Every structure is written in structure tokens, then in C-alpha cells.
Amino acid sequence: MTGLATAFRTLAVVAAAGLLAVTGSVVAPAPPASAAPEPKAPREFVALGSVDPTILQEMRYTTEHNFVGEPVDGYRQPLCILTRPAAEALHRAQVRLLARGYTLKVYDCYRPQRAVDHFVRWAKDLEDERMKKEFYPLVDKSRLFADGYIVEKSGHSRGSTVDLTIVRLPAAPTRAYVPGEKLVECWAPQAERFPDNSVDMGTGYDCFDTRSHTEDPRIQGVQRANRQLLGGSLAEQGFVNLPEEWWHFTFKPEPFPATFFDFPVARRSVAGH
């Protein structure tokens, strides 16, 4: 009887631990549910490099050299993704600029919603001003929403908006940003601000200042001519400029005028397109 009692006690302990199946066999714990797969881009999206590999790409939000001061959520690889009509229109503009001794350079293209959400979180953190000296030296961070510099929805997330500039050929390399280096105001003379290889547009990219307005009257001479060259080259191909940002253009008509996508900026998002 002692052996039988011991066996019953063992079975009771096992059953109480939830490891005994009704069949009498021990059941292993269920594996955790797998994470949902990352969304992919619709087939209307392409990598710009597959349409025109000659356009330079300096994707700022994969680096620490931006107004946030760190790589931005959703930017997995330094890759420009756009809707195909927008990419093909950039190619047409590039062909004409190459003939004049210039090339386009993109800073940002499609932007996932999670990146926009990252900007919003950053803007609400009034203590984080590590990049203020360069990108918004004259703007109180508490004013970024009211002044329209940060928004909760961006046209970039629709896939037909691009931030870009012009570089004179042959293109000199742009040195890498060193985190913690001394920052200079984005509206300082070109020789003083961060050394970008683009032509002088009067301000650097993502400069939160009224000098960035495309038609700001303080921008004259060569700087104004450079803005007009960029704007005119893109307008010929169906792009519309955002008046507050000389670098910001949207191709019209947009294939997705009311859809804000959230697939990551990565090659796998457009693989096979």
C-alpha cells in the first residue's frame, strides 16, 4: 500500500502543477504567441535608387545629426522610399540638372507614422534641447507645435513628399557628424555652419526659422537663385513646394492623398517591387 500511496501523491502534485493532460501525458507549456509581422509597402512604392541611382541620398533621420539628436523610430536603413510616380518625377528633374552640372540630394522621403510619433514625443519633452543650438536657436521649444514645426500627421507618411537640395558636380563628400561636437546656428553663413556639400540655400536642412521660408526676403543673390533652381526644376515635374520650407516638395497628384503609412524604412519593405 505504501508504494501505491506514494504514486497517488506524485500524481496529485503533477496535476496540481498543471502538467498532466487528460491523456495521462505531461504537456509542455505553450510557446508565446509570435509577434505580428511588420507591414510592407504597397506595390506602388519603390526604392528611389532602383529608379535613379545617380540621386545622392543623405538620410538624416537614420543618424544623430537631426533636430532630435538620435536615430528616429522606423528608420532601419538609410534608404529613400517613395511612390513610383514621385520617384520617376525626381528622375526626370535629375536628368535636366545633370545636364547643367548639378545633382539632387535627398535628406528624407517616405516617413513612417512611428517616426512622426517620435517627433511628437520629443517636442513634448521640454528638457531635451541637445540640438537646439543648430536646428531651432531662436525658437522656444514650447512653441514648436503652435508655430507648425512639429505636427501629428505628416505628408511624408503618404509617400510622395521629399526633402532635398542640390549639389554642384563633382560632389564633394560630406563629413560624418560627431555626436557632441560644437553646434552652429543653421542660418549662419555657409562657411560656418555644418559642412554640407550642397549649394548655399541660406540655411541648413531642417532649420526651424523663418529664414527657411522659400521666399524669405532676407535670402537674396546666389542663395535665392539656388532656391529658384531647385524649385523650378521640381515644379516642371509636378512637385509643389511647402512655402515654409525651401527643401520640402510634394508630387501632385498624390497616389495616396489621405493614407498615412507606417511600414519601416527598410529594403524589405519594398523587396520585389
Side-chain angles (χ1 to χ4, degrees), residues 122-183:
W122 166 82
K124 291 179 178 178
D125 180 4
L126 301 184
E127 301 300 315
D128 183 356
E129 293 192 323
R130 69 189 109 160
M131 303 301 285
K132 177 179 175 62
K133 175 72 172 179
E134 178 174 353
F135 291 96
Y136 52 108
L138 300 180
V139 179
D140 191 291
K141 193 174 182 183
S142 66
R143 296 282 310 169
L144 292 181
F145 288 104
D147 292 349
Y149 292 113
I150 300 295
V151 293
E152 295 186 348
K153 293 289 184 181
S154 169
H156 281 274
S157 301
R158 302 194 296 262
S160 296
T161 294
V162 59
D163 293 341
L164 74 173
T165 189
I166 291 175
V167 176
R168 182 76 185 182
L169 294 173
T174 295
R175 73 165 175 83
Y177 168 76
V178 179
E181 70 175 80
K182 181 180 178 181
L183 301 178

Tab-separated table of all heavy atoms in Angstrom, residues 122-183:
chain	number	residue	atom	x	y	z
A	122	TRP	N	9.276	63.822	-28.621
A	122	TRP	CA	10.449	64.663	-28.379
A	122	TRP	C	10.025	66.115	-28.135
A	122	TRP	O	10.549	66.787	-27.232
A	122	TRP	CB	11.394	64.571	-29.576
A	122	TRP	CG	12.440	65.637	-29.585
A	122	TRP	CD1	13.622	65.644	-28.895
A	122	TRP	CD2	12.383	66.889	-30.291
A	122	TRP	NE1	14.302	66.826	-29.136
A	122	TRP	CE2	13.561	67.596	-29.992
A	122	TRP	CE3	11.447	67.462	-31.154
A	122	TRP	CZ2	13.830	68.855	-30.525
A	122	TRP	CZ3	11.708	68.717	-31.685
A	122	TRP	CH2	12.892	69.391	-31.366
A	123	ALA	N	9.099	66.622	-28.924
A	123	ALA	CA	8.672	68.014	-28.801
A	123	ALA	C	8.009	68.288	-27.455
A	123	ALA	O	8.080	69.412	-26.940
A	123	ALA	CB	7.728	68.380	-29.937
A	124	LYS	N	7.371	67.284	-26.885
A	124	LYS	CA	6.711	67.451	-25.587
A	124	LYS	C	7.696	67.391	-24.429
A	124	LYS	O	7.364	67.794	-23.307
A	124	LYS	CB	5.623	66.390	-25.414
A	124	LYS	CG	4.442	66.590	-26.354
A	124	LYS	CD	3.399	65.490	-26.171
A	124	LYS	CE	2.200	65.719	-27.091
A	124	LYS	NZ	1.182	64.629	-26.957
A	125	ASP	N	8.897	66.875	-24.678
A	125	ASP	CA	9.928	66.806	-23.638
A	125	ASP	C	10.732	68.097	-23.676
A	125	ASP	O	11.731	68.216	-24.383
A	125	ASP	CB	10.834	65.596	-23.886
A	125	ASP	CG	11.928	65.453	-22.834
A	125	ASP	OD1	11.936	66.255	-21.868
A	125	ASP	OD2	12.781	64.551	-22.989
A	126	LEU	N	10.310	69.081	-22.917
A	126	LEU	CA	10.916	70.413	-22.973
A	126	LEU	C	12.314	70.445	-22.378
A	126	LEU	O	13.045	71.438	-22.554
A	126	LEU	CB	10.019	71.430	-22.267
A	126	LEU	CG	8.602	71.566	-22.834
A	126	LEU	CD1	7.846	72.673	-22.098
A	126	LEU	CD2	8.631	71.857	-24.333
A	127	GLU	N	12.723	69.379	-21.712
A	127	GLU	CA	14.057	69.328	-21.123
A	127	GLU	C	15.124	68.929	-22.143
A	127	GLU	O	16.304	69.230	-21.955
A	127	GLU	CB	14.078	68.345	-19.943
A	127	GLU	CG	13.112	68.687	-18.822
A	127	GLU	CD	13.414	70.052	-18.223
A	127	GLU	OE1	14.614	70.334	-17.968
A	127	GLU	OE2	12.469	70.834	-18.010
A	128	ASP	N	14.722	68.248	-23.204
A	128	ASP	CA	15.682	67.755	-24.197
A	128	ASP	C	15.910	68.824	-25.266
A	128	ASP	O	15.139	68.957	-26.213
A	128	ASP	CB	15.161	66.469	-24.835
A	128	ASP	CG	16.150	65.868	-25.828
A	128	ASP	OD1	17.203	66.490	-26.081
A	128	ASP	OD2	15.864	64.781	-26.362
A	129	GLU	N	16.984	69.569	-25.099
A	129	GLU	CA	17.321	70.617	-26.059
A	129	GLU	C	18.758	70.450	-26.561
A	129	GLU	O	19.441	71.422	-26.879
A	129	GLU	CB	17.127	71.990	-25.428
A	129	GLU	CG	15.673	72.324	-25.121
A	129	GLU	CD	15.467	73.783	-24.768
A	129	GLU	OE1	16.356	74.369	-24.092
A	129	GLU	OE2	14.443	74.357	-25.172
A	130	ARG	N	19.199	69.205	-26.672
A	130	ARG	CA	20.605	68.966	-27.023
A	130	ARG	C	20.980	69.492	-28.404
A	130	ARG	O	22.132	69.823	-28.652
A	130	ARG	CB	20.924	67.465	-26.920
A	130	ARG	CG	20.273	66.589	-27.969
A	130	ARG	CD	20.449	65.113	-27.678
A	130	ARG	NE	19.181	64.542	-27.263
A	130	ARG	CZ	18.922	63.231	-27.308
A	130	ARG	NH1	19.846	62.391	-27.706
A	130	ARG	NH2	17.749	62.782	-26.934
A	131	MET	N	19.983	69.596	-29.339
A	131	MET	CA	20.287	70.057	-30.696
A	131	MET	C	19.743	71.457	-30.990
A	131	MET	O	19.732	71.899	-32.130
A	131	MET	CB	19.724	69.061	-31.713
A	131	MET	CG	20.225	67.639	-31.540
A	131	MET	SD	22.028	67.479	-31.660
A	131	MET	CE	22.275	67.640	-33.432
A	132	LYS	N	19.314	72.156	-29.934
A	132	LYS	CA	18.700	73.475	-30.120
A	132	LYS	C	19.634	74.464	-30.807
A	132	LYS	O	19.216	75.198	-31.711
A	132	LYS	CB	18.266	74.038	-28.763
A	132	LYS	CG	17.675	75.460	-28.838
A	132	LYS	CD	17.232	75.952	-27.477
A	132	LYS	CE	16.752	77.394	-27.533
A	132	LYS	NZ	15.565	77.565	-28.405
A	133	LYS	N	20.883	74.491	-30.414
A	133	LYS	CA	21.830	75.480	-30.933
A	133	LYS	C	21.875	75.475	-32.460
A	133	LYS	O	21.975	76.538	-33.083
A	133	LYS	CB	23.219	75.184	-30.379
A	133	LYS	CG	24.334	76.063	-30.926
A	133	LYS	CD	24.276	77.468	-30.401
A	133	LYS	CE	25.511	78.262	-30.812
A	133	LYS	NZ	25.489	79.651	-30.351
A	134	GLU	N	21.762	74.308	-33.092
A	134	GLU	CA	21.826	74.253	-34.545
A	134	GLU	C	20.466	74.381	-35.211
A	134	GLU	O	20.314	75.169	-36.158
A	134	GLU	CB	22.467	72.944	-35.022
A	134	GLU	CG	22.515	72.824	-36.550
A	134	GLU	CD	23.272	71.619	-37.061
A	134	GLU	OE1	23.905	70.903	-36.258
A	134	GLU	OE2	23.238	71.378	-38.293
A	135	PHE	N	19.466	73.640	-34.736
A	135	PHE	CA	18.237	73.489	-35.512
A	135	PHE	C	17.113	74.453	-35.154
A	135	PHE	O	16.263	74.734	-35.998
A	135	PHE	CB	17.740	72.038	-35.413
A	135	PHE	CG	18.642	71.069	-36.119
A	135	PHE	CD1	19.605	70.369	-35.425
A	135	PHE	CD2	18.542	70.884	-37.487
A	135	PHE	CE1	20.451	69.480	-36.082
A	135	PHE	CE2	19.372	70.004	-38.159
A	135	PHE	CZ	20.344	69.301	-37.455
A	136	TYR	N	17.055	74.954	-33.922
A	136	TYR	CA	15.995	75.919	-33.561
A	136	TYR	C	16.532	76.925	-32.539
A	136	TYR	O	15.980	77.112	-31.464
A	136	TYR	CB	14.737	75.203	-33.045
A	136	TYR	CG	14.956	74.202	-31.921
A	136	TYR	CD1	14.542	74.480	-30.622
A	136	TYR	CD2	15.545	72.965	-32.160
A	136	TYR	CE1	14.727	73.570	-29.588
A	136	TYR	CE2	15.728	72.040	-31.141
A	136	TYR	CZ	15.326	72.357	-29.865
A	136	TYR	OH	15.510	71.434	-28.846
A	137	PRO	N	17.607	77.623	-32.896
A	137	PRO	CA	18.275	78.502	-31.928
A	137	PRO	C	17.430	79.655	-31.428
A	137	PRO	O	17.622	80.118	-30.302
A	137	PRO	CB	19.502	79.010	-32.708
A	137	PRO	CG	19.154	78.826	-34.151
A	137	PRO	CD	18.296	77.600	-34.202
A	138	LEU	N	16.476	80.131	-32.233
A	138	LEU	CA	15.675	81.297	-31.843
A	138	LEU	C	14.241	80.937	-31.479
A	138	LEU	O	13.445	81.831	-31.184
A	138	LEU	CB	15.669	82.332	-32.979
A	138	LEU	CG	17.038	82.894	-33.389
A	138	LEU	CD1	16.889	83.896	-34.519
A	138	LEU	CD2	17.758	83.527	-32.198
A	139	VAL	N	13.904	79.661	-31.484
A	139	VAL	CA	12.529	79.223	-31.232
A	139	VAL	C	12.456	78.528	-29.878
A	139	VAL	O	13.221	77.594	-29.610
A	139	VAL	CB	12.028	78.269	-32.330
A	139	VAL	CG1	10.594	77.817	-32.037
A	139	VAL	CG2	12.115	78.940	-33.698
A	140	ASP	N	11.549	78.984	-29.016
A	140	ASP	CA	11.323	78.298	-27.748
A	140	ASP	C	10.687	76.949	-28.036
A	140	ASP	O	9.725	76.863	-28.792
A	140	ASP	CB	10.400	79.131	-26.853
A	140	ASP	CG	10.346	78.601	-25.427
A	140	ASP	OD1	9.784	77.504	-25.242
A	140	ASP	OD2	10.860	79.269	-24.529
A	141	LYS	N	11.229	75.899	-27.449
A	141	LYS	CA	10.732	74.553	-27.770
A	141	LYS	C	9.252	74.392	-27.458
A	141	LYS	O	8.554	73.617	-28.115
A	141	LYS	CB	11.546	73.486	-27.032
A	141	LYS	CG	11.286	72.081	-27.557
A	141	LYS	CD	12.184	71.035	-26.928
A	141	LYS	CE	11.883	69.670	-27.536
A	141	LYS	NZ	12.683	68.589	-26.903
A	142	SER	N	8.745	75.136	-26.505
A	142	SER	CA	7.318	75.046	-26.166
A	142	SER	C	6.440	75.563	-27.298
A	142	SER	O	5.221	75.342	-27.294
A	142	SER	CB	7.029	75.824	-24.887
A	142	SER	OG	7.248	77.221	-25.088
A	143	ARG	N	7.029	76.244	-28.305
A	143	ARG	CA	6.274	76.819	-29.413
A	143	ARG	C	6.295	75.940	-30.666
A	143	ARG	O	5.708	76.311	-31.689
A	143	ARG	CB	6.865	78.190	-29.776
A	143	ARG	CG	6.754	79.244	-28.702
A	143	ARG	CD	5.366	79.820	-28.630
A	143	ARG	NE	4.874	80.229	-29.939
A	143	ARG	CZ	3.611	80.576	-30.178
A	143	ARG	NH1	2.716	80.532	-29.207
A	143	ARG	NH2	3.234	80.947	-31.395
A	144	LEU	N	6.949	74.790	-30.636
A	144	LEU	CA	7.130	74.003	-31.860
A	144	LEU	C	5.815	73.553	-32.475
A	144	LEU	O	5.680	73.523	-33.705
A	144	LEU	CB	8.025	72.792	-31.573
A	144	LEU	CG	9.489	73.113	-31.256
A	144	LEU	CD1	10.263	71.830	-31.013
A	144	LEU	CD2	10.138	73.934	-32.365
A	145	PHE	N	4.822	73.200	-31.651
A	145	PHE	CA	3.511	72.815	-32.191
A	145	PHE	C	2.754	74.044	-32.697
A	145	PHE	O	2.235	74.054	-33.812
A	145	PHE	CB	2.678	72.087	-31.131
A	145	PHE	CG	3.145	70.694	-30.825
A	145	PHE	CD1	3.852	70.424	-29.669
A	145	PHE	CD2	2.890	69.642	-31.690
A	145	PHE	CE1	4.289	69.141	-29.375
A	145	PHE	CE2	3.317	68.357	-31.419
A	145	PHE	CZ	4.021	68.106	-30.252
A	146	ALA	N	2.705	75.072	-31.871
A	146	ALA	CA	1.938	76.269	-32.228
A	146	ALA	C	2.476	76.926	-33.499
A	146	ALA	O	1.708	77.443	-34.316
A	146	ALA	CB	1.962	77.260	-31.068
A	147	ASP	N	3.783	76.879	-33.680
A	147	ASP	CA	4.393	77.507	-34.851
A	147	ASP	C	4.431	76.587	-36.070
A	147	ASP	O	4.904	76.993	-37.136
A	147	ASP	CB	5.804	77.972	-34.521
A	147	ASP	CG	5.822	79.135	-33.531
A	147	ASP	OD1	4.737	79.702	-33.273
A	147	ASP	OD2	6.900	79.473	-33.017
A	148	GLY	N	3.945	75.368	-35.907
A	148	GLY	CA	3.825	74.465	-37.043
A	148	GLY	C	5.080	73.700	-37.419
A	148	GLY	O	5.107	73.031	-38.460
A	149	TYR	N	6.100	73.736	-36.581
A	149	TYR	CA	7.319	72.997	-36.910
A	149	TYR	C	7.160	71.503	-36.667
A	149	TYR	O	7.799	70.688	-37.346
A	149	TYR	CB	8.504	73.533	-36.092
A	149	TYR	CG	8.914	74.934	-36.470
A	149	TYR	CD1	8.740	75.998	-35.582
A	149	TYR	CD2	9.464	75.211	-37.718
A	149	TYR	CE1	9.116	77.295	-35.927
A	149	TYR	CE2	9.839	76.492	-38.075
A	149	TYR	CZ	9.665	77.529	-37.170
A	149	TYR	OH	10.032	78.810	-37.524
A	150	ILE	N	6.325	71.137	-35.702
A	150	ILE	CA	6.039	69.731	-35.407
A	150	ILE	C	4.538	69.517	-35.522
A	150	ILE	O	3.744	70.302	-34.983
A	150	ILE	CB	6.521	69.339	-33.986
A	150	ILE	CG1	8.040	69.554	-33.860
A	150	ILE	CG2	6.158	67.899	-33.681
A	150	ILE	CD1	8.883	68.654	-34.739
A	151	VAL	N	4.137	68.462	-36.238
A	151	VAL	CA	2.717	68.134	-36.416
A	151	VAL	C	2.514	66.655	-36.132
A	151	VAL	O	3.461	65.855	-36.165
A	151	VAL	CB	2.247	68.472	-37.852
A	151	VAL	CG1	2.277	69.975	-38.085
A	151	VAL	CG2	3.116	67.754	-38.890
A	152	GLU	N	1.285	66.276	-35.856
A	152	GLU	CA	0.999	64.888	-35.509
A	152	GLU	C	0.783	64.007	-36.728
A	152	GLU	O	0.781	62.774	-36.614
A	152	GLU	CB	-0.206	64.823	-34.574
A	152	GLU	CG	0.073	65.486	-33.219
A	152	GLU	CD	-1.064	65.313	-32.230
A	152	GLU	OE1	-2.156	64.880	-32.645
A	152	GLU	OE2	-0.848	65.609	-31.037
A	153	LYS	N	0.575	64.599	-37.891
A	153	LYS	CA	0.470	63.872	-39.152
A	153	LYS	C	1.334	64.594	-40.181
A	153	LYS	O	1.296	65.819	-40.269
A	153	LYS	CB	-0.980	63.800	-39.646
A	153	LYS	CG	-1.921	62.967	-38.781
A	153	LYS	CD	-1.616	61.481	-38.903
A	153	LYS	CE	-2.623	60.659	-38.111
A	153	LYS	NZ	-2.323	59.203	-38.189
A	154	SER	N	2.094	63.811	-40.948
A	154	SER	CA	2.983	64.420	-41.928
A	154	SER	C	2.674	63.913	-43.326
A	154	SER	O	2.424	62.718	-43.524
A	154	SER	CB	4.445	64.078	-41.588
A	154	SER	OG	5.306	64.430	-42.652
A	155	GLY	N	2.728	64.820	-44.300
A	155	GLY	CA	2.560	64.409	-45.685
A	155	GLY	C	3.605	63.406	-46.130
A	155	GLY	O	3.364	62.609	-47.047
A	156	HIS	N	4.759	63.409	-45.479
A	156	HIS	CA	5.792	62.421	-45.816
A	156	HIS	C	5.265	60.990	-45.674
A	156	HIS	O	5.713	60.089	-46.394
A	156	HIS	CB	7.001	62.596	-44.901
A	156	HIS	CG	7.913	63.723	-45.279
A	156	HIS	ND1	8.927	63.579	-46.196
A	156	HIS	CD2	7.975	65.012	-44.851
A	156	HIS	CE1	9.583	64.725	-46.318
A	156	HIS	NE2	9.018	65.620	-45.507
A	157	SER	N	4.362	60.778	-44.735
A	157	SER	CA	3.859	59.429	-44.483
A	157	SER	C	2.944	58.926	-45.593
A	157	SER	O	2.583	57.750	-45.611
A	157	SER	CB	3.119	59.385	-43.144
A	157	SER	OG	3.974	59.780	-42.087
A	158	ARG	N	2.571	59.799	-46.525
A	158	ARG	CA	1.771	59.385	-47.672
A	158	ARG	C	2.644	58.915	-48.842
A	158	ARG	O	2.132	58.363	-49.815
A	158	ARG	CB	0.853	60.528	-48.115
A	158	ARG	CG	-0.092	61.004	-47.003
A	158	ARG	CD	-1.213	61.879	-47.556
A	158	ARG	NE	-0.724	63.114	-48.141
A	158	ARG	CZ	-0.700	64.294	-47.517
A	158	ARG	NH1	-1.110	64.388	-46.258
A	158	ARG	NH2	-0.267	65.381	-48.133
A	159	GLY	N	3.938	59.198	-48.764
A	159	GLY	CA	4.878	58.601	-49.700
A	159	GLY	C	5.261	59.407	-50.915
A	159	GLY	O	6.078	58.939	-51.715
A	160	SER	N	4.705	60.610	-51.086
A	160	SER	CA	5.019	61.408	-52.274
A	160	SER	C	5.681	62.737	-51.940
A	160	SER	O	5.804	63.612	-52.792
A	160	SER	CB	3.747	61.654	-53.087
A	160	SER	OG	3.226	60.433	-53.581
A	161	THR	N	6.116	62.889	-50.695
A	161	THR	CA	6.782	64.107	-50.251
A	161	THR	C	8.254	63.813	-50.000
A	161	THR	O	8.610	62.761	-49.461
A	161	THR	CB	6.117	64.650	-48.978
A	161	THR	OG1	4.782	65.064	-49.306
A	161	THR	CG2	6.880	65.834	-48.411
A	162	VAL	N	9.100	64.762	-50.375
A	162	VAL	CA	10.542	64.561	-50.266
A	162	VAL	C	11.205	65.852	-49.803
A	162	VAL	O	10.769	66.948	-50.148
A	162	VAL	CB	11.122	64.099	-51.631
A	162	VAL	CG1	10.856	65.116	-52.727
A	162	VAL	CG2	12.599	63.779	-51.538
A	163	ASP	N	12.232	65.720	-48.966
A	163	ASP	CA	13.080	66.839	-48.557
A	163	ASP	C	14.397	66.697	-49.309
A	163	ASP	O	15.050	65.644	-49.235
A	163	ASP	CB	13.352	66.797	-47.052
A	163	ASP	CG	12.104	67.033	-46.221
A	163	ASP	OD1	11.116	67.575	-46.752
A	163	ASP	OD2	12.130	66.679	-45.024
A	164	LEU	N	14.821	67.757	-49.989
A	164	LEU	CA	16.004	67.611	-50.838
A	164	LEU	C	16.664	68.935	-51.135
A	164	LEU	O	16.138	70.001	-50.824
A	164	LEU	CB	15.637	66.895	-52.127
A	164	LEU	CG	14.841	67.627	-53.217
A	164	LEU	CD1	14.748	66.755	-54.475
A	164	LEU	CD2	13.460	68.030	-52.772
A	165	THR	N	17.840	68.845	-51.753
A	165	THR	CA	18.621	70.013	-52.109
A	165	THR	C	19.349	69.724	-53.410
A	165	THR	O	19.102	68.708	-54.071
A	165	THR	CB	19.604	70.378	-50.977
A	165	THR	OG1	20.215	71.638	-51.248
A	165	THR	CG2	20.677	69.318	-50.809
A	166	ILE	N	20.278	70.619	-53.779
A	166	ILE	CA	21.072	70.482	-55.000
A	166	ILE	C	22.553	70.533	-54.632
A	166	ILE	O	22.962	71.310	-53.763
A	166	ILE	CB	20.750	71.614	-56.001
A	166	ILE	CG1	19.334	71.444	-56.553
A	166	ILE	CG2	21.755	71.644	-57.141
A	166	ILE	CD1	18.903	72.592	-57.459
A	167	VAL	N	23.336	69.699	-55.297
A	167	VAL	CA	24.784	69.647	-55.097
A	167	VAL	C	25.461	69.924	-56.435
A	167	VAL	O	25.063	69.372	-57.460
A	167	VAL	CB	25.218	68.269	-54.560
A	167	VAL	CG1	26.742	68.180	-54.449
A	167	VAL	CG2	24.564	67.996	-53.205
A	168	ARG	N	26.475	70.771	-56.404
A	168	ARG	CA	27.250	71.043	-57.612
A	168	ARG	C	28.203	69.877	-57.873
A	168	ARG	O	28.842	69.363	-56.945
A	168	ARG	CB	28.053	72.335	-57.432
A	168	ARG	CG	28.878	72.754	-58.650
A	168	ARG	CD	27.996	73.353	-59.723
A	168	ARG	NE	28.762	73.658	-60.936
A	168	ARG	CZ	28.247	74.232	-62.016
A	168	ARG	NH1	26.971	74.592	-62.025
A	168	ARG	NH2	28.974	74.467	-63.071
A	169	LEU	N	28.285	69.434	-59.124
A	169	LEU	CA	29.188	68.352	-59.508
A	169	LEU	C	30.572	68.906	-59.860
A	169	LEU	O	30.677	70.014	-60.385
A	169	LEU	CB	28.598	67.585	-60.686
A	169	LEU	CG	27.296	66.820	-60.384
A	169	LEU	CD1	26.711	66.251	-61.669
A	169	LEU	CD2	27.555	65.716	-59.373
A	170	PRO	N	31.629	68.147	-59.566
A	170	PRO	CA	31.632	66.859	-58.883
A	170	PRO	C	31.335	67.028	-57.394
A	170	PRO	O	31.796	67.988	-56.781
A	170	PRO	CB	33.052	66.338	-59.115
A	170	PRO	CG	33.876	67.585	-59.258
A	170	PRO	CD	32.984	68.583	-59.957
A	171	ALA	N	30.566	66.122	-56.838
A	171	ALA	CA	30.112	66.247	-55.454
A	171	ALA	C	31.236	65.908	-54.484
A	171	ALA	O	31.809	64.820	-54.538
A	171	ALA	CB	28.925	65.320	-55.219
A	172	ALA	N	31.533	66.852	-53.619
A	172	ALA	CA	32.498	66.591	-52.550
A	172	ALA	C	31.813	65.766	-51.462
A	172	ALA	O	30.605	65.883	-51.253
A	172	ALA	CB	33.011	67.907	-51.976
A	173	PRO	N	32.550	64.913	-50.764
A	173	PRO	CA	31.915	64.143	-49.686
A	173	PRO	C	31.537	65.046	-48.517
A	173	PRO	O	32.166	66.088	-48.290
A	173	PRO	CB	33.007	63.143	-49.281
A	173	PRO	CG	34.294	63.807	-49.678
A	173	PRO	CD	33.982	64.603	-50.908
A	174	THR	N	30.484	64.675	-47.805
A	174	THR	CA	30.099	65.370	-46.583
A	174	THR	C	30.639	64.583	-45.398
A	174	THR	O	30.397	63.375	-45.292
A	174	THR	CB	28.563	65.473	-46.472
A	174	THR	OG1	28.073	66.286	-47.538
A	174	THR	CG2	28.156	66.110	-45.148
A	175	ARG	N	31.382	65.243	-44.526
A	175	ARG	CA	31.964	64.511	-43.401
A	175	ARG	C	30.887	64.042	-42.443
A	175	ARG	O	29.788	64.619	-42.371
A	175	ARG	CB	32.978	65.374	-42.665
A	175	ARG	CG	32.373	66.490	-41.825
A	175	ARG	CD	33.426	67.030	-40.850
A	175	ARG	NE	32.971	68.181	-40.092
A	175	ARG	CZ	32.244	68.105	-38.979
A	175	ARG	NH1	31.841	66.917	-38.532
A	175	ARG	NH2	31.889	69.203	-38.336
A	176	ALA	N	31.188	63.018	-41.696
A	176	ALA	CA	30.232	62.477	-40.732
A	176	ALA	C	30.093	63.422	-39.544
A	176	ALA	O	31.058	64.066	-39.111
A	176	ALA	CB	30.690	61.105	-40.256
A	177	TYR	N	28.881	63.523	-39.033
A	177	TYR	CA	28.618	64.278	-37.813
A	177	TYR	C	29.167	63.505	-36.621
A	177	TYR	O	29.025	62.277	-36.528
A	177	TYR	CB	27.116	64.500	-37.656
A	177	TYR	CG	26.684	65.005	-36.304
A	177	TYR	CD1	26.876	66.333	-35.941
A	177	TYR	CD2	26.091	64.145	-35.383
A	177	TYR	CE1	26.480	66.804	-34.698
A	177	TYR	CE2	25.685	64.609	-34.140
A	177	TYR	CZ	25.890	65.933	-33.800
A	177	TYR	OH	25.495	66.395	-32.567
A	178	VAL	N	29.803	64.215	-35.697
A	178	VAL	CA	30.346	63.603	-34.489
A	178	VAL	C	29.458	64.006	-33.315
A	178	VAL	O	29.392	65.193	-32.964
A	178	VAL	CB	31.795	64.057	-34.231
A	178	VAL	CG1	32.333	63.415	-32.953
A	178	VAL	CG2	32.679	63.718	-35.421
A	179	PRO	N	28.724	63.057	-32.717
A	179	PRO	CA	27.846	63.417	-31.597
A	179	PRO	C	28.606	64.169	-30.510
A	179	PRO	O	29.707	63.781	-30.109
A	179	PRO	CB	27.346	62.054	-31.096
A	179	PRO	CG	27.415	61.177	-32.307
A	179	PRO	CD	28.635	61.629	-33.050
A	180	GLY	N	28.020	65.267	-30.077
A	180	GLY	CA	28.640	66.079	-29.049
A	180	GLY	C	29.519	67.198	-29.578
A	180	GLY	O	30.009	68.025	-28.783
A	181	GLU	N	29.718	67.249	-30.904
A	181	GLU	CA	30.550	68.322	-31.450
A	181	GLU	C	29.854	69.664	-31.296
A	181	GLU	O	28.631	69.741	-31.117
A	181	GLU	CB	30.881	68.053	-32.919
A	181	GLU	CG	29.708	68.190	-33.870
A	181	GLU	CD	30.148	68.026	-35.331
A	181	GLU	OE1	30.322	66.873	-35.786
A	181	GLU	OE2	30.314	69.071	-35.989
A	182	LYS	N	30.626	70.732	-31.383
A	182	LYS	CA	30.073	72.076	-31.243
A	182	LYS	C	29.061	72.336	-32.354
A	182	LYS	O	29.323	72.076	-33.529
A	182	LYS	CB	31.187	73.115	-31.320
A	182	LYS	CG	30.698	74.546	-31.161
A	182	LYS	CD	31.841	75.550	-31.256
A	182	LYS	CE	31.330	76.976	-31.157
A	182	LYS	NZ	32.439	77.977	-31.280
A	183	LEU	N	27.895	72.855	-31.984
A	183	LEU	CA	26.835	73.132	-32.945
A	183	LEU	C	26.862	74.604	-33.342
A	183	LEU	O	27.190	75.470	-32.532
A	183	LEU	CB	25.473	72.783	-32.347
A	183	LEU	CG	25.279	71.327	-31.907
A	183	LEU	CD1	23.894	71.138	-31.291
A	183	LEU	CD2	25.472	70.366	-33.073
